[in-house]
Amino acid sequence: MISGENLFAVVLPAGGLGLRTGGQIPKQLLPLKGKPVYRHSLDTFLSLKEISEVVLAVPQDWKEHFENDILNAGISTEWKNKLKIVVGGKERWQSVRNGVHALTSSARYVLVHDVARPFISKELLTQIFETLVSKGSCIVAKECADTVKVVTNGKIEKTLDRNSIWLAQTPQCASVELLKNLYQKIDEAPLDFLPTDEASILEYFGEQIFIVKGNSLNDKLTTPEDFERFSNLKF
């Protein structure tokens, strides 16, 4: 374990509406194994002594709902002091930016994790902490088990080497200072593409990014079938 506490902060983007689940409320608020989806990862991060601060970025129209939900959950004073809720942005990367700018602790590094990945393990987080400190920016990713085809208009164009293909997960992690500097650069010269994750921003600016090997337990909940599969998990 990394020596010293409070090196790390967390931003949890929960600003999307999650319409692919087919529900009437954001998917992060749907029940999963006895509590809302977002609470699983939130509780994991709040429970870790290495984490000094957690910022939850939520939809503007649902901010009060999240605040009441957490209040009614009866979390400890210690956890409340570590948690801040902010309004997310129009796009995911903007929600993350809002969260990063809301950090007030002296944490050196920030982990960005999708709350739609509710079962991040403490063992995996330990690997992330060590990689961040010893190597630098990193993301969790999973090796690709399937053959990957490039398709245009319903026709296969070519086959990619799956040995070089990794499926990006979260957390995606960097130093707080680095992300703030890159956001400043984006403000000065807006990007000509829509970033889908933090890694795409780091890549664009030529930053080195390391891989921490993920697993299927850290998959993302997107469809009703995903909810059924995760609800039946035994651990």
Side-chain angles (χ1 to χ4, degrees):
M1 174 59 66
I2 299 297
S3 60
E5 298 180 8
N6 302 328
L7 277 174
F8 310 98
V10 174
V11 172
L12 300 176
L17 296 178
L19 299 179
R20 278 178 288 180
T21 59
Q24 298 301 311
I25 64 174
K27 67 181 177 183
Q28 55 267 35
L29 289 170
L30 294 174
L32 177 68
K33 287 186 172 291
K35 57 185 176 182
V37 168
Y38 82 96
R39 280 287 310 281
H40 289 276
S41 53
L42 176 64
D43 290 358
T44 296
F45 286 112
L46 288 175
S47 70
L48 293 173
K49 68 180 185 302
E50 293 86 1
I51 303 297
S52 62
E53 184 177 12
V54 178
V55 177
L56 183 66
V58 304
Q60 183 172 8
D61 293 344
W62 289 86
K63 185 173 185 286
E64 185 176 356
H65 184 106
F66 276 90
E67 291 170 340
N68 291 335
D69 187 68
I70 291 172
L71 180 64
N72 293 335
I75 67 173
S76 69
T77 300
E78 178 186 2
W79 283 18
K80 288 180 183 177
N81 290 339
K82 291 173 70 169
L83 177 62
K84 180 183 295 183
I85 301 176
V86 301
V87 173
K90 180 181 178 181
E91 303 291 347
R92 179 193 181 280
W93 78 271
Q94 294 168 326
S95 292
V96 174
R97 181 175 64 178
N98 289 355
V100 170
H101 284 310
L103 293 172
T104 56
S105 71
S106 59
R108 187 180 307 171
Y109 306 100
V110 59
L111 288 68
V112 180
H113 185 67
D114 295 331
V115 295
R117 302 180 188 273
F119 298 134
I120 179 74
S121 70
K122 293 182 179 180
E123 291 75 18
L124 184 54
L125 288 170
T126 296
Q127 296 178 49
I128 293 166
F129 295 154
E130 293 173 348
T131 301
L132 257 175
V133 172
S134 64
K135 296 182 177 180
S137 302
C138 63
I139 73 167
V140 177
K142 210 170 58 165
E143 291 178 291
C144 183
D146 297 320
T147 299
V148 181
K149 306 290 186 181
V150 176
V151 177
T152 303
N153 297 324
K155 183 180 70 174
I156 293 175
E157 297 292 337
K158 61 180 177 179
T159 300
L160 301 182
D161 179 9
R162 69 181 180 189
N163 292 318
S164 64
I165 302 295
W166 287 71
L167 307 178
Q169 298 184 325
T170 64
Q172 302 197 357
C173 320
S175 78
V176 175
E177 181 180 11
L178 173 59
L179 281 182
K180 286 184 175 180
N181 287 341
L182 296 186
Y183 292 143
Q184 178 63 36
K185 289 183 178 181
I186 293 172
D187 288 339
E188 295 169 356
L191 300 174
D192 58 2
F193 70 100
L194 178 62
T196 55
D197 61 1
E198 286 60 60
S200 61
I201 294 176
L202 293 167
E203 292 168 43
Y204 178 81
F205 287 102
E207 296 294 333
Q208 192 173 49
I209 312 164
F210 293 91
I211 292 292
V212 177
K213 189 174 180 180
N215 53 60
S216 58
L217 190 63
N218 193 38
D219 284 347
K220 189 175 183 179
L221 294 177
T222 302
T223 67
E225 290 75 19
D226 294 331
F227 271 84
E228 182 176 359
R229 176 168 65 91
F230 274 75
S231 295
N232 292 328
L233 288 175
K234 305 295 183 183
F235 53 85

